[in-house]
Amino acid sequence: MQEEKLAATDSDAPVVQNEKSLSASASVYVAETEISRFSEQETKKLLRKLDWHLIPFMSLIYLLCFLDRTNIGNARLDNLELDLGLTGIQYNDCLAILFPFYIAAEIPSNMMMKRIRPSIWLTFIMVCWSACMIGQGFVKSYSGLMATRVFLGVFEGGLYPGVNYYITQWYCRHETGFRMALFFSAATLAGAFGGILARGIAEMAGIGGLSAWSWIFILEGLLSIIVSFTSYWMIYDYPATASFLTDKERDEVERRLLEDTGHLSNDFDVKYVWQAIKDWKVYIHMLICMAGFCPIYSFSLFLPTIIKNMGYSANNAQLMSVPPYVFACIFTIGASWFADRARQRGIFLLGFQLVGILGFALLAGSGNATVQYTGTVFAAIGIYPQIPLGLAWNGSNVGGSLKRGTAIAMQVMGGNCGGIIASYVYLTRDSPRFIKGHSILIGFVCMAFFLTSFMSWWCRQENARRDAAAAERGAQEPTEQEKALERELADNVPWFRYTI
């Protein structure tokens, strides 16, 4: 791996030029060679190899990222508000301030992923957010906590859309959903580990003159920064430079990607950014994502408080927050595995949205602690699988590398607008039942249900229209001029079919 990094730094030429040459060489490879494609068994072996070298480390850094972003919910139970003198909705303000800066970082970050190597960019932002998290453990006031949350948002903002875009550079469209789910499942594990870690760290209260909540931030930040120092060597940039692949395997990965996306452009050109910005479908997916992330952030930031208000002690509430995340993890991975094999997303999204509505309805409709806790489990099962399913759906329905990267970043931007709303869903004055908050989240999930239904219908109708148009034209090989034109059209090319 070290040889890969040294070779990549020998030239100051931008990675974009390298990607163009790789794209061109891949085209020549497909057009001019007669090397047989991999068998089904060889392809499965290749995918397993990619999975083992790419997904575990990406999942680890997202686990740490989500843990660092949401551990303030656990810290709240260890006297954070009392020690910093937070009153009214100041705690909610500290949650919300992260998201505008998180959102603002997403599209520029994905453009940087395209412009320079992922190993450099992801390492840089990870070191920076880890330092912010450690600093958060030493704040003494409301303004200090607000400031560290701002910088945390700036540097964490690029990771989630960046890694989702990164996955699309290695796998075919129908293979990305399961990998995105494996990656996103780290968020559910972060929730589970967060509760366990917070319970253990609570015993450190008073050590070094610091409260338990300070140690939660400091120790989890230190863990992140230790991992960040290894990330430059653990992140592989592109299939063409991956040292763990043989020459034949590199060629096969590139051939599969080219076959999957046709001859759509992989060039770095701002016009493809504008294509995404002007595409109405991306905005529908932004709203679906917002309606998915709003309950997720509400859940992750306030679950310990909600469980504590069911009558549990602070320490037991930390531990009782673990099981809902475990169920969420299992269903998040399983749903995307089945969706990849069915090559459908919409129907799975609709099913989990109904489960999420059921969960929040149980929380809002009953004062019984057992029923409420059951509601948290159903809510977790219903909301977490929606994010990787939705991102894979949008990503597979956008043609062209840079347009896809921009569309994914826009989608996550929409999702994190839900984070701003989530910060104010559960207010102290609505405790202990938080009926108003649960009802708001039911409304958001219902909105996602109707928008998902519409997009499923539209994709089906558009595919049928394109099939009919293709049947009228008959089977004709496009000319070179037509191929050149199609490079500019992204998913609007006549042969492109949407995932339903």
Side-chain angles (χ1 to χ4, degrees):
M1 195 182 307
Q2 182 64 34
E3 293 175 0
E4 172 197 345
K5 303 295 181 184
L6 292 174
T9 55
D10 282 344
S11 171
D12 293 330
V15 171
V16 178
Q17 182 180 351
N18 185 41
E19 284 194 349
K20 287 181 180 179
S21 64
L22 292 176
S23 178
S25 64
S27 300
V28 171
Y29 168 79
V30 174
E32 296 182 359
T33 67
E34 298 298 331
I35 298 175
S36 61
R37 64 181 63 195
F38 277 25
S39 66
E40 182 179 348
Q41 192 63 34
E42 288 173 321
T43 300
K44 287 182 179 179
K45 183 178 179 181
L46 175 60
L47 290 175
R48 282 196 299 270
K49 193 171 186 179
L50 293 178
D51 290 343
W52 279 110
H53 284 84
L54 303 178
I55 303 302
F57 191 76
M58 289 297 172
S59 299
L60 173 62
I61 60 177
Y62 188 62
L63 184 154
L64 296 172
C65 176
F66 203 83
L67 186 64
D68 290 344
R69 192 185 325 154
T70 59
N71 57 13
I72 191 170
N74 300 105
R76 186 188 194 187
L77 297 190
D78 288 317
N79 301 318
L80 170 72
E81 291 172 289
L82 180 64
D83 290 352
L84 297 184
L86 304 184
T87 58
I89 61 170
Q90 287 184 328
Y91 171 76
N92 304 81
D93 293 338
C94 291
L95 302 182
I97 194 65
L98 176 143
F99 293 102
F101 297 91
Y102 190 106
I103 292 164
E106 288 173 336
I107 290 180
S109 180
N110 262 21
M111 293 178 72
M112 291 298 292
M113 283 277 289
K114 179 77 176 174
R115 193 72 174 172
I116 65 175
R117 303 205 318 271
S119 58
I120 295 176
W121 181 246
L122 294 179
T123 298
F124 169 73
I125 62 174
M126 190 174 185
V127 170
C128 291
W129 95 58
S130 302
C132 293
M133 177 51 52
I134 294 170
Q136 192 167 291
F138 294 97
V139 299
K140 301 297 182 184
S141 65
Y142 167 67
S143 58
L145 183 58
M146 289 281 280
T148 55
R149 295 286 291 178
V150 165
F151 286 105
L152 194 64
V154 169
F155 295 116
E156 282 196 342
L159 181 68
Y160 188 66
V163 174
N164 278 284
Y165 170 62
Y166 176 78
I167 287 172
T168 67
Q169 302 303 295
W170 291 82
Y171 296 95
C172 295
R173 290 185 296 160
H174 66 277
E175 298 161 350
T176 58
F178 178 56
R179 277 78 189 179
M180 288 178 181
L182 288 173
F183 165 63
F184 186 73
S185 67
T188 63
L189 293 178
F193 285 131
I196 296 171
L197 288 173
R199 174 62 185 89
I201 295 172
E203 301 300 322
M204 296 181 64
I207 295 177
L210 297 173
S211 299
W213 63 264
S214 291
W215 283 113
I216 289 175
F217 295 145
I218 293 168
L219 293 181
E220 292 178 4
L222 284 171
L223 178 59
S224 297
I225 208 164
I226 290 169
V227 174
S228 72
F229 289 148
T230 69
S231 59
Y232 178 77
W233 293 273
M234 295 298 294
I235 296 172
Y236 298 90
D237 293 314
Y238 306 107
T241 59
S243 59
F244 68 90
L245 296 175
T246 66
D247 289 341
K248 186 177 179 182
E249 288 170 338
R250 292 190 195 101
D251 289 339
E252 176 64 9
V253 172
E254 291 192 323
R255 184 202 64 76
R256 297 177 77 249
L257 291 173
L258 197 64
E259 183 181 76
D260 187 53
T261 59
H263 33 267
L264 300 183
S265 176
N266 288 317
D267 298 343
F268 187 93
D269 192 317
V270 176
K271 68 183 177 184
Y272 299 119
V273 175
W274 286 109
Q275 279 189 5
I277 291 172
K278 292 185 286 187
D279 190 337
W280 65 269
K281 300 186 295 298
V282 176
Y283 292 93
I284 299 294
H285 282 288
M286 287 175 68
L287 289 172
I288 294 172
C289 196
M290 182 184 74
F293 263 121
C294 183
I296 282 178
Y297 279 125
S298 299
F299 196 84
S300 60
L301 292 169
F302 291 97
L303 182 61
T305 300
I306 292 170
I307 293 177
K308 183 174 182 290
N309 286 339
M310 293 178 189
Y312 296 96
S313 67
N315 284 339
N316 286 339
Q318 302 279 27
L319 296 176
M320 290 295 287
S321 69
V322 174
Y325 289 112
V326 174
F327 282 101
C329 182
I330 294 169
F331 278 88
T332 296
I333 295 172
S336 288
W337 187 86
F338 282 109
D340 272 3
R341 272 140 192 81
R343 302 198 181 191
Q344 292 193 34
R345 311 288 177 197
I347 188 65
F348 289 90
L349 275 168
L350 292 170
F352 282 105
Q353 285 156 358
L354 290 175
V355 174
I357 291 169
L358 170 63
F360 287 114
L362 290 174
L363 280 163
S366 175
N368 181 280
T370 302
V371 174
Q372 285 189 309
Y373 190 76
T374 302
T376 66
V377 174
F378 277 113
I381 291 172
I383 61 180
Y384 276 92
Q386 292 181 44
I387 303 304
L389 285 169
L391 282 162
W393 196 19
N394 183 36
S396 64
N397 284 344
V398 178
S401 175
L402 185 57
K403 182 182 177 183
R404 186 186 311 116
T406 304
I408 289 172
M410 289 173 64
Q411 185 181 11
V412 179
M413 283 174 63
N416 284 295
C417 289
I420 300 173
I421 301 166
S423 303
Y424 297 99
V425 164
Y426 294 116
L427 299 176
T428 303
R429 64 172 179 257
D430 297 326
S431 64
R433 290 284 306 281
F434 297 109
I435 294 175
K436 185 182 293 184
H438 299 322
S439 301
I440 290 170
L441 297 182
I442 290 172
F444 271 100
V445 181
C446 286
M447 181 182 81
F449 182 86
F450 288 114
L451 290 173
T452 302
S453 299
F454 167 74
M455 281 306 300
S456 297
W457 172 83
W458 184 89
C459 289
R460 196 180 300 275
Q461 293 295 109
E462 181 62 14
N463 285 349
R465 186 191 68 79
R466 294 185 183 188
D467 287 342
E472 288 180 11
R473 282 196 313 270
Q476 293 182 346
E477 184 67 23
T479 66
E480 291 303 316
Q481 289 79 7
E482 290 173 331
K483 288 182 179 181
L485 178 62
E486 287 181 356
R487 283 177 59 84
E488 314 295 321
L489 295 178
D491 45 277
N492 291 317
V493 294
W495 53 263
F496 191 94
R497 296 295 181 271
Y498 293 101
T499 301
I500 297 171

